[in-house]
Amino acid sequence: MTKQNVVPVEAVAAITVARSSPLFPYTPPLALRKKFLPQIELEGGKTGSWWLDSMRASSPTHAKATAAAAGPIVDAVLDDLSDLTMRRPSALSKFDQIVSSSNGKQIVMFLDYDGTLSPIVDDPDSAFMTNAMRKAVREVARDFPTAIVSGRCLDKVIDFVRLAELYYAGSHGMDIKGPEKSRHAKSKAANGVSFQPASEFLPMIGTVYKTLLDRTKSTPGAKVENNKFCVSVHFRCVDEKNWGALFEQVRSVLKEYPKLRLTQGRKVLEIRPTIKWDKGKALEFLLESLGFANCRDVMPIYIGDDRTDEDAFKVLRDSGQGIGILVSKFPKETNATYYLQEPSEVKDFLVRLVEGKRRQTKARSKV
């Protein structure tokens, strides 16, 4: 094999990991993983190498740049993986089809925050939504039951959105709160709904947060965020050469807490309780609270950009009811039905949805 045909193992790993189980719910065939990922443990626990590859893959631009630098042979790898990549149609290009499928049904809107309503930014405290986006969400909430489902703590996401008429599910759905009065709910139980399935973990999460603050202070750029029922360790501003050290700092803390688990989102490590609760469970809980459980005349729409949103996409896919929309500029394997590229397209979709609903209402009133 000539030198120009030699691909760095980490380059192939970044590409393959970006298309496989660490990021998304579909795993490549075992033979393919053995062929291209010999350094990643295929059986048993996940190694430090696995986590580092996953951390690299959580930055689509990083994976893209790595692939470009790796040489022509990477194209062959991508060709081998092409059958696994599920390219979804744009929700804007298929908008009429979506509206048509909602005829006679109650739309219930679920929206992630970071990367969906606001852009991804280096400082998570500066992830502000635009006034135009806030107006679009407000208009949606006038016509449809609307919930924000975020990894942020409840108070933070409410402070970012600043719309009292919405339902909010913070900490990946582990802290849920609804308005005192809902104009759309079929059930009175939806009024002032409040639910915290992981409340027993609050003291433990607080302790872990303080410990991680101290343990990670030696890593420049690391930011530890207390999201009440989970702790987020952001590495977006950490030099890549320090990612391994940061991961070890986090892992050293978690060794003392077997009831907590480590997951990963876009440039963030998440520490969460081991309870069986996620954004998909939050979606189901809110639908039930609103009085729409087991209703065939309801159409949930969930829009999100992160791997944690895949739990909600999967609920909709498995139920055969409703649609998931992934926000991403890059092709990814997903349980979602459609995609939008960025928050500006999310805004356009929401505006068109409201306009379409109001045209339908006006047309029916004339009959």
Side-chain angles (χ1 to χ4, degrees):
M1 181 180 290
T2 62
K3 287 185 177 181
Q4 51 264 47
N5 285 333
V6 176
V7 181
V9 171
E10 62 271 18
V12 179
I15 297 162
T16 310
V17 170
R19 309 236 177 166
S20 60
S21 54
L23 273 178
F24 310 108
Y26 304 106
T27 305
L30 184 61
L32 201 58
R33 285 185 284 153
K34 285 182 176 179
K35 182 178 179 182
F36 295 118
L37 283 176
Q39 83 286 15
I40 290 182
E41 184 175 328
L42 301 178
E43 305 291 340
K46 296 169 182 176
T47 65
S49 174
W50 185 97
W51 280 103
L52 281 176
D53 286 324
S54 186
M55 290 168 77
R56 294 188 185 100
S58 72
S59 173
T61 53
H62 174 92
K64 187 176 181 181
T66 303
I73 195 171
V74 171
D75 294 333
V77 177
L78 296 180
D79 288 341
D80 284 339
L81 293 171
S82 61
D83 290 341
L84 301 171
T85 301
M86 304 181 70
R87 294 178 179 271
R88 303 304 195 189
S90 165
L92 289 175
S93 67
K94 297 293 184 180
F95 183 80
D96 291 341
Q97 178 178 317
I98 293 172
V99 171
S100 177
S101 64
S102 70
N103 283 340
K105 297 181 180 180
Q106 171 65 63
I107 291 175
V108 183
M109 183 64 63
F110 297 88
L111 301 162
D112 180 30
Y113 184 76
D114 293 274
T116 300
L117 300 182
S118 74
I120 296 293
V121 294
D122 289 341
D123 180 5
D125 291 332
S126 300
F128 303 112
M129 63 195 298
T130 64
N131 289 333
M133 180 67 85
R134 182 172 290 103
K135 179 181 178 182
V137 175
R138 181 185 293 113
E139 292 299 308
V140 165
R142 287 179 180 176
D143 289 342
F144 317 112
T146 302
I148 307 296
V149 186
S150 172
R152 300 269 192 167
C153 77
L154 187 66
D155 291 343
K156 285 184 180 179
V157 73
I158 289 176
D159 187 54
F160 273 127
V161 178
R162 302 200 307 272
L163 294 173
E165 59 268 39
L166 304 186
Y167 292 84
Y168 291 91
S171 300
H172 300 288
M174 287 183 281
D175 197 1
I176 298 175
K177 183 178 181 180
E180 289 304 314
K181 291 185 179 180
S182 173
R183 59 189 296 180
H184 301 293
K186 292 177 63 177
S187 170
K188 292 182 179 180
N191 294 329
V193 64
S194 180
F195 187 52
Q196 295 179 336
S199 56
E200 66 184 277
F201 289 89
L202 277 176
M204 185 183 300
I205 291 292
T207 301
V208 168
Y209 167 68
K210 293 177 181 178
T211 305
L212 282 170
L213 274 179
D214 180 69
R215 197 70 59 89
T216 62
K217 63 184 180 182
S218 61
T219 303
K223 183 177 179 63
V224 183
E225 184 179 15
N226 187 346
N227 285 315
K228 194 171 182 177
F229 291 97
C230 63
V231 178
S232 302
V233 181
H234 300 273
F235 58 91
R236 182 169 298 276
C237 296
V238 176
D239 192 299
E240 186 177 338
K241 67 183 180 182
N242 295 325
W243 288 359
L246 180 64
F247 168 73
E248 290 302 328
Q249 290 164 352
V250 173
R251 183 161 65 172
S252 69
V253 173
L254 286 187
K255 285 180 180 179
E256 306 299 321
Y257 298 93
K259 291 186 178 181
L260 299 179
R261 62 191 175 104
L262 181 64
T263 62
Q264 191 192 330
R266 290 179 64 179
K267 289 293 187 74
V268 62
L269 296 171
E270 304 269 14
I271 294 92
R272 291 195 265 169
T274 53
I275 65 169
K276 293 182 179 180
W277 196 265
D278 51 40
K279 290 183 176 182
K281 295 291 186 183
L283 181 151
E284 292 177 320
F285 173 84
L286 284 167
L287 284 176
E288 182 174 355
S289 298
L290 287 162
F292 296 121
N294 303 315
C295 292
R296 302 313 299 176
D297 59 349
V298 64
M299 181 175 170
I301 299 178
Y302 189 106
I303 308 179
D305 76 306
D306 206 351
R307 72 180 70 183
T308 58
D309 299 306
E310 289 295 332
D311 296 313
F313 295 153
K314 187 175 186 299
V315 166
L316 296 181
R317 187 196 69 175
D318 291 350
S319 69
Q321 187 174 9
I323 62 172
I325 302 175
L326 174 69
V327 184
S328 177
K329 291 184 178 180
F330 302 92
K332 296 179 181 180
E333 294 180 34
T334 179
N335 286 299
T337 312
Y338 303 98
Y339 82 93
L340 294 167
Q341 292 196 55
E342 56 192 358
S344 64
E345 289 197 353
V346 174
K347 177 183 68 65
D348 292 344
F349 178 84
L350 297 179
V351 169
R352 290 182 63 181
L353 195 65
V354 169
E355 291 174 348
K357 169 70 173 181
R358 292 177 182 174
R359 282 197 300 268
Q360 284 182 354
T361 302
K362 188 176 181 179
R364 284 197 297 267
S365 65
K366 290 181 178 180
V367 176

